[in-house]
Amino acid sequence: MPAKKRKREEEDDTDDSSGSDSDSSEERVKKHKKKKEKKDKKKKKKDKKKDRKKKKKKKKKDRKKEKPEHKEQHWNAEDFKNDKIGVPRLIAQDGNGVCEKTILKFGTGRKPEKGQEVALHCVGTMMKSRKKFWNTREKKGEGHKVKPYKFRVGTGKVIKGWDAGVQAMRLGETAKIVVTGTYAYGLKGNPKWGIPPNCDLEFEMELLHIGDEIILPDKYELMKQKVANKHTFLERDNTGFMLQFRSAPF
């Protein structure tokens, strides 16, 4: 074979080997980048988990600090100067509704504070028709367990009359709460339970439990509740002839 052909073949071989080396180096770089990206993603996930755990721990610590020390208080005559069994007592009122409480059995514990979870049994009755629309002690069928109703008092999760009435009760107390107008379901009523608009309601309640933890809604949740609970009602002006529409959040 001539010398020129040998040189050409050798040059071609060197070109091929250099091309394959460059390709392999590019692949290595790509693999290295992918590995780095995966590691970075894993680190980010771990950091997020750590941050969540830290936030939860802080919240728990803050709640523990906020927890008031409750001592079981037993009633005496001075605590019940204004309370008598069977005598109605006005708890709250505004221009469009009333909340009234009648004690049926004295309680021997403390009163709930805003943000505390309470558990109670309740029987709800419509005042005019005397029709019962709710009973927490009633079994709804086979396998149904009777459970008390639970909610956080004073946070707007229930009707206005419940928040006002339950905060006026003591642990272990049984009372009759009468609510009208805006302290009940107002002009909207409650179609699910067959409650018509502006229906006066009576609730017989037994306060069974008061939790120690206080959780209050933030300003954004309060705004949502105000928008959701907006009622429109009729208001008569001073002349007594003209009807005026006014809408207000409760």
Side-chain angles (χ1 to χ4, degrees):
M1 186 181 283
K4 288 183 179 179
K5 282 186 178 181
R6 284 179 186 175
K7 283 184 179 179
R8 284 178 186 175
E9 286 176 1
E10 286 175 0
E11 284 176 0
D12 292 336
D13 292 336
T14 52
D15 290 338
D16 292 336
S17 62
S18 63
S20 60
D21 291 337
S22 63
D23 292 338
S24 61
S25 62
E26 284 178 3
E27 286 176 2
R28 285 173 188 171
V29 171
K30 284 179 182 179
K31 285 180 181 179
H32 188 66
K33 282 183 179 179
K34 284 180 181 180
K35 284 181 181 179
K36 271 191 174 182
E37 286 175 359
K38 284 181 181 179
K39 285 181 181 179
D40 292 336
K41 283 180 181 179
K42 285 181 180 179
K43 281 182 180 180
K44 283 180 181 179
K45 284 182 181 179
K46 286 180 180 179
D47 292 335
K48 281 181 180 179
K49 284 182 181 179
K50 284 180 181 179
D51 291 335
R52 285 173 189 170
K53 286 180 181 179
K54 284 179 181 179
K55 284 178 181 179
K56 284 181 181 179
K57 284 181 181 178
K58 281 182 181 179
K59 282 182 180 179
K60 284 181 181 179
K61 285 180 181 179
D62 293 336
R63 284 174 185 173
K64 283 179 181 178
K65 286 177 183 178
E66 287 176 2
K67 272 188 187 180
E69 293 182 0
H70 294 293
K71 293 180 181 178
E72 196 66 21
Q73 296 176 352
H74 294 279
W75 65 273
N76 53 42
E78 290 181 2
D79 295 329
F80 291 91
K81 282 181 180 178
N82 299 322
D83 292 344
K84 292 180 182 178
I85 288 177
V87 178
R89 180 185 158 207
L90 183 67
I91 302 300
Q93 67 175 344
D94 58 19
N96 301 284
V98 166
C99 176
E100 190 179 80
K101 185 185 86 162
T102 305
I103 295 172
L104 304 178
K105 188 188 87 174
F106 280 127
T108 58
R110 67 181 190 269
K111 291 181 180 180
E113 297 176 23
K114 277 186 180 182
Q116 288 180 329
E117 188 179 67
V118 297
L120 51 84
H121 275 304
C122 177
V123 180
T125 310
M126 292 182 225
M127 294 283 284
K128 284 185 180 179
S129 63
R130 302 306 303 169
K131 181 183 175 183
K132 289 181 182 178
F133 59 88
W134 191 37
N135 188 350
T136 55
R137 289 191 177 93
E138 186 179 349
K139 285 188 177 181
K140 295 179 181 179
E142 290 183 5
H144 178 260
K145 291 182 180 180
V146 175
K147 291 180 181 179
Y149 183 71
K150 294 180 181 180
F151 71 99
R152 290 205 177 273
V153 72
T155 59
K157 297 291 184 183
V158 292
I159 58 174
K160 224 174 149 183
W162 270 51
D163 276 336
V166 173
Q167 283 185 88
M169 293 177 68
R170 285 183 178 272
L171 186 63
E173 182 180 320
T174 303
K176 181 174 72 177
I177 307 290
V178 174
V179 292
T180 67
T182 55
Y183 281 89
Y185 290 99
L187 280 177
K188 286 184 178 180
N190 193 333
K192 288 182 182 178
W193 288 351
I195 298 171
N198 287 327
C199 182
D200 298 340
L201 304 174
E202 178 186 292
F203 297 97
E204 187 177 316
M205 298 180 178
E206 183 184 0
L207 188 55
L208 303 171
H209 174 74
I210 302 171
D212 291 331
E213 191 175 16
I214 295 173
I215 299 174
L216 294 170
D218 58 23
K219 60 181 180 180
Y220 300 107
E221 286 179 10
L222 288 171
M223 286 299 293
K224 284 180 184 178
Q225 287 174 17
K226 283 183 179 181
V227 172
N229 296 329
K230 186 177 279 191
H231 296 273
T232 302
F233 59 90
L234 292 169
E235 186 180 76
R236 208 173 278 278
D237 64 3
N238 293 330
T239 60
F241 294 102
M242 298 292 289
L243 284 172
Q244 193 176 21
F245 282 96
R246 185 160 72 97
S247 112
F250 299 105

